Amino acid sequence: MCAKASLKKIHQEIQNCTKCPLHKTRKNAVPGEGPSDADLMFVGEAPGAEEDKTGRPFVGRSGQLLIDLLNGIGLDRDDVFITSILKSRPPNNRTPHKDEVEACISYLERQIAVINPRIIVLLGGVAISNMIGPWKLSEAHGRFYEAEGRTYFMTYHPAAALRFPKYRDIMSEDFQKLKDELDF
Ligand code: URA
């Protein structure tokens, strides 16, 4: 099966998933979107209200900031693959529970295997701790990390920059490092 078809199959499974109780409260699962051969993959925390309503990742305020940051390094939303650790919205946007991550993480692992991105950008503490282990964000941000044949890049979640404007500049600098590494 080609990458596009494999990804479509995974996304259909996600849309029908009942592996954790979040399926009872979600309106739509949010598999993620972007090219099946993307060089860059962005991993957030979990869908919020707008994503739950539309079934699309990062379409709320955090998403707008993510797009601004991408535009700042000459990329469009459509150039990259965007998803999150959880594919269903936790009630009131609470932090994902361990059992929810355990139920969901294989979907992300399968997406990574199909897309085979050059760099996986981990947005914020939930993505970082669940993919590569606990890090202090103040030390982690702007750093690349190699593990099991994959290259990760760590930065803040856009929601943090919406809450605390100083993180916006820090994220812009981090994204510049990403651009320098990708050399496009
Ligand atoms: N925040 C996330 O982490 N993921 C989304 O899809 C939207 C907001």
Side-chain angles (χ1 to χ4, degrees), residues 146-162:
E146 309 274 339
E148 289 164 26
R150 299 263 171 227
T151 302
Y152 297 91
F153 181 75
M154 301 179 276
T155 188
Y156 290 91
H157 192 286
L162 289 174

PDB file of all heavy atoms in Angstrom, residues 146-162:
ATOM      1  N   GLU A 146      18.153  13.056  19.210  1.00  0.00           N
ATOM      2  CA  GLU A 146      18.119  11.844  18.372  1.00  0.00           C
ATOM      3  C   GLU A 146      17.738  10.651  19.229  1.00  0.00           C
ATOM      4  O   GLU A 146      18.318  10.464  20.311  1.00  0.00           O
ATOM      5  CB  GLU A 146      19.508  11.562  17.771  1.00  0.00           C
ATOM      6  CG  GLU A 146      20.161  12.727  17.056  1.00  0.00           C
ATOM      7  CD  GLU A 146      19.734  12.844  15.606  1.00  0.00           C
ATOM      8  OE1 GLU A 146      19.261  11.838  15.044  1.00  0.00           O
ATOM      9  OE2 GLU A 146      19.855  13.957  15.055  1.00  0.00           O
ATOM     10  N   ALA A 147      16.795   9.864  18.773  1.00  0.00           N
ATOM     11  CA  ALA A 147      16.436   8.639  19.498  1.00  0.00           C
ATOM     12  C   ALA A 147      15.863   7.622  18.526  1.00  0.00           C
ATOM     13  O   ALA A 147      15.011   7.961  17.699  1.00  0.00           O
ATOM     14  CB  ALA A 147      15.416   8.933  20.597  1.00  0.00           C
ATOM     15  N   GLU A 148      16.340   6.403  18.641  1.00  0.00           N
ATOM     16  CA  GLU A 148      15.852   5.282  17.824  1.00  0.00           C
ATOM     17  C   GLU A 148      15.699   5.655  16.347  1.00  0.00           C
ATOM     18  O   GLU A 148      14.669   5.383  15.715  1.00  0.00           O
ATOM     19  CB  GLU A 148      14.523   4.770  18.386  1.00  0.00           C
ATOM     20  CG  GLU A 148      14.725   4.041  19.718  1.00  0.00           C
ATOM     21  CD  GLU A 148      13.426   3.853  20.489  1.00  0.00           C
ATOM     22  OE1 GLU A 148      12.363   3.819  19.853  1.00  0.00           O
ATOM     23  OE2 GLU A 148      13.498   3.741  21.710  1.00  0.00           O
ATOM     24  N   GLY A 149      16.739   6.289  15.817  1.00  0.00           N
ATOM     25  CA  GLY A 149      16.759   6.590  14.388  1.00  0.00           C
ATOM     26  C   GLY A 149      15.880   7.760  13.977  1.00  0.00           C
ATOM     27  O   GLY A 149      15.712   8.012  12.782  1.00  0.00           O
ATOM     28  N   ARG A 150      15.308   8.461  14.939  1.00  0.00           N
ATOM     29  CA  ARG A 150      14.457   9.622  14.616  1.00  0.00           C
ATOM     30  C   ARG A 150      15.095  10.896  15.137  1.00  0.00           C
ATOM     31  O   ARG A 150      15.791  10.872  16.155  1.00  0.00           O
ATOM     32  CB  ARG A 150      13.075   9.489  15.264  1.00  0.00           C
ATOM     33  CG  ARG A 150      12.308   8.276  14.809  1.00  0.00           C
ATOM     34  CD  ARG A 150      11.333   8.637  13.694  1.00  0.00           C
ATOM     35  NE  ARG A 150      10.747   7.440  13.122  1.00  0.00           N
ATOM     36  CZ  ARG A 150      10.633   7.204  11.826  1.00  0.00           C
ATOM     37  NH1 ARG A 150      11.087   8.073  10.951  1.00  0.00           N
ATOM     38  NH2 ARG A 150      10.087   6.103  11.391  1.00  0.00           N
ATOM     39  N   THR A 151      14.833  12.005  14.451  1.00  0.00           N
ATOM     40  CA  THR A 151      15.307  13.312  14.913  1.00  0.00           C
ATOM     41  C   THR A 151      14.117  14.124  15.403  1.00  0.00           C
ATOM     42  O   THR A 151      13.156  14.348  14.655  1.00  0.00           O
ATOM     43  CB  THR A 151      16.014  14.071  13.773  1.00  0.00           C
ATOM     44  OG1 THR A 151      17.104  13.264  13.307  1.00  0.00           O
ATOM     45  CG2 THR A 151      16.557  15.414  14.261  1.00  0.00           C
ATOM     46  N   TYR A 152      14.207  14.528  16.659  1.00  0.00           N
ATOM     47  CA  TYR A 152      13.156  15.348  17.263  1.00  0.00           C
ATOM     48  C   TYR A 152      13.688  16.762  17.464  1.00  0.00           C
ATOM     49  O   TYR A 152      14.894  16.965  17.634  1.00  0.00           O
ATOM     50  CB  TYR A 152      12.752  14.775  18.623  1.00  0.00           C
ATOM     51  CG  TYR A 152      12.162  13.385  18.541  1.00  0.00           C
ATOM     52  CD1 TYR A 152      12.977  12.244  18.647  1.00  0.00           C
ATOM     53  CD2 TYR A 152      10.794  13.210  18.334  1.00  0.00           C
ATOM     54  CE1 TYR A 152      12.444  10.971  18.562  1.00  0.00           C
ATOM     55  CE2 TYR A 152      10.248  11.924  18.253  1.00  0.00           C
ATOM     56  CZ  TYR A 152      11.076  10.816  18.365  1.00  0.00           C
ATOM     57  OH  TYR A 152      10.547   9.560  18.282  1.00  0.00           O
ATOM     58  N   PHE A 153      12.768  17.719  17.491  1.00  0.00           N
ATOM     59  CA  PHE A 153      13.109  19.100  17.830  1.00  0.00           C
ATOM     60  C   PHE A 153      12.072  19.573  18.845  1.00  0.00           C
ATOM     61  O   PHE A 153      10.875  19.351  18.668  1.00  0.00           O
ATOM     62  CB  PHE A 153      13.065  19.991  16.582  1.00  0.00           C
ATOM     63  CG  PHE A 153      13.426  21.427  16.847  1.00  0.00           C
ATOM     64  CD1 PHE A 153      14.748  21.795  17.062  1.00  0.00           C
ATOM     65  CD2 PHE A 153      12.444  22.409  16.893  1.00  0.00           C
ATOM     66  CE1 PHE A 153      15.088  23.124  17.312  1.00  0.00           C
ATOM     67  CE2 PHE A 153      12.774  23.735  17.142  1.00  0.00           C
ATOM     68  CZ  PHE A 153      14.099  24.096  17.355  1.00  0.00           C
ATOM     69  N   MET A 154      12.554  20.202  19.921  1.00  0.00           N
ATOM     70  CA  MET A 154      11.651  20.552  21.012  1.00  0.00           C
ATOM     71  C   MET A 154      11.431  22.059  21.075  1.00  0.00           C
ATOM     72  O   MET A 154      12.382  22.840  20.988  1.00  0.00           O
ATOM     73  CB  MET A 154      12.246  20.067  22.337  1.00  0.00           C
ATOM     74  CG  MET A 154      12.484  18.565  22.369  1.00  0.00           C
ATOM     75  SD  MET A 154      13.214  17.996  23.911  1.00  0.00           S
ATOM     76  CE  MET A 154      14.952  18.277  23.615  1.00  0.00           C
ATOM     77  N   THR A 155      10.174  22.430  21.243  1.00  0.00           N
ATOM     78  CA  THR A 155       9.855  23.848  21.477  1.00  0.00           C
ATOM     79  C   THR A 155       8.590  23.935  22.335  1.00  0.00           C
ATOM     80  O   THR A 155       8.029  22.912  22.738  1.00  0.00           O
ATOM     81  CB  THR A 155       9.735  24.640  20.147  1.00  0.00           C
ATOM     82  OG1 THR A 155       9.614  26.034  20.443  1.00  0.00           O
ATOM     83  CG2 THR A 155       8.551  24.193  19.327  1.00  0.00           C
ATOM     84  N   TYR A 156       8.169  25.162  22.635  1.00  0.00           N
ATOM     85  CA  TYR A 156       6.966  25.366  23.444  1.00  0.00           C
ATOM     86  C   TYR A 156       5.718  25.048  22.630  1.00  0.00           C
ATOM     87  O   TYR A 156       5.759  24.984  21.395  1.00  0.00           O
ATOM     88  CB  TYR A 156       6.900  26.820  23.931  1.00  0.00           C
ATOM     89  CG  TYR A 156       7.950  27.139  24.963  1.00  0.00           C
ATOM     90  CD1 TYR A 156       9.192  27.639  24.598  1.00  0.00           C
ATOM     91  CD2 TYR A 156       7.699  26.917  26.312  1.00  0.00           C
ATOM     92  CE1 TYR A 156      10.161  27.925  25.546  1.00  0.00           C
ATOM     93  CE2 TYR A 156       8.661  27.205  27.271  1.00  0.00           C
ATOM     94  CZ  TYR A 156       9.887  27.712  26.878  1.00  0.00           C
ATOM     95  OH  TYR A 156      10.836  27.989  27.819  1.00  0.00           O
ATOM     96  N   HIS A 157       4.608  24.852  23.339  1.00  0.00           N
ATOM     97  CA  HIS A 157       3.314  24.733  22.679  1.00  0.00           C
ATOM     98  C   HIS A 157       2.831  26.152  22.364  1.00  0.00           C
ATOM     99  O   HIS A 157       2.997  27.045  23.204  1.00  0.00           O
ATOM    100  CB  HIS A 157       2.326  24.018  23.613  1.00  0.00           C
ATOM    101  CG  HIS A 157       1.069  23.606  22.908  1.00  0.00           C
ATOM    102  ND1 HIS A 157       0.099  24.509  22.546  1.00  0.00           N
ATOM    103  CD2 HIS A 157       0.637  22.391  22.495  1.00  0.00           C
ATOM    104  CE1 HIS A 157      -0.882  23.865  21.939  1.00  0.00           C
ATOM    105  NE2 HIS A 157      -0.582  22.579  21.893  1.00  0.00           N
ATOM    106  N   PRO A 158       2.217  26.369  21.182  1.00  0.00           N
ATOM    107  CA  PRO A 158       1.741  27.718  20.875  1.00  0.00           C
ATOM    108  C   PRO A 158       0.805  28.281  21.948  1.00  0.00           C
ATOM    109  O   PRO A 158       0.769  29.500  22.154  1.00  0.00           O
ATOM    110  CB  PRO A 158       1.004  27.558  19.543  1.00  0.00           C
ATOM    111  CG  PRO A 158       1.426  26.263  18.981  1.00  0.00           C
ATOM    112  CD  PRO A 158       2.016  25.437  20.070  1.00  0.00           C
ATOM    113  N   ALA A 159       0.049  27.429  22.648  1.00  0.00           N
ATOM    114  CA  ALA A 159      -0.862  27.920  23.696  1.00  0.00           C
ATOM    115  C   ALA A 159      -0.074  28.656  24.788  1.00  0.00           C
ATOM    116  O   ALA A 159      -0.571  29.613  25.378  1.00  0.00           O
ATOM    117  CB  ALA A 159      -1.661  26.766  24.295  1.00  0.00           C
ATOM    118  N   ALA A 160       1.155  28.218  25.050  1.00  0.00           N
ATOM    119  CA  ALA A 160       1.991  28.886  26.062  1.00  0.00           C
ATOM    120  C   ALA A 160       2.332  30.294  25.599  1.00  0.00           C
ATOM    121  O   ALA A 160       2.337  31.239  26.382  1.00  0.00           O
ATOM    122  CB  ALA A 160       3.270  28.087  26.308  1.00  0.00           C
ATOM    123  N   ALA A 161       2.584  30.437  24.295  1.00  0.00           N
ATOM    124  CA  ALA A 161       2.930  31.756  23.755  1.00  0.00           C
ATOM    125  C   ALA A 161       1.712  32.672  23.696  1.00  0.00           C
ATOM    126  O   ALA A 161       1.854  33.885  23.705  1.00  0.00           O
ATOM    127  CB  ALA A 161       3.544  31.597  22.369  1.00  0.00           C
ATOM    128  N   LEU A 162       0.515  32.086  23.634  1.00  0.00           N
ATOM    129  CA  LEU A 162      -0.688  32.922  23.680  1.00  0.00           C
ATOM    130  C   LEU A 162      -0.898  33.456  25.090  1.00  0.00           C
ATOM    131  O   LEU A 162      -1.350  34.569  25.303  1.00  0.00           O
ATOM    132  CB  LEU A 162      -1.919  32.108  23.243  1.00  0.00           C
ATOM    133  CG  LEU A 162      -1.986  31.751  21.761  1.00  0.00           C
ATOM    134  CD1 LEU A 162      -3.179  30.830  21.503  1.00  0.00           C
ATOM    135  CD2 LEU A 162      -2.106  33.003  20.903  1.00  0.00           C
TER     136      LEU A 162
END
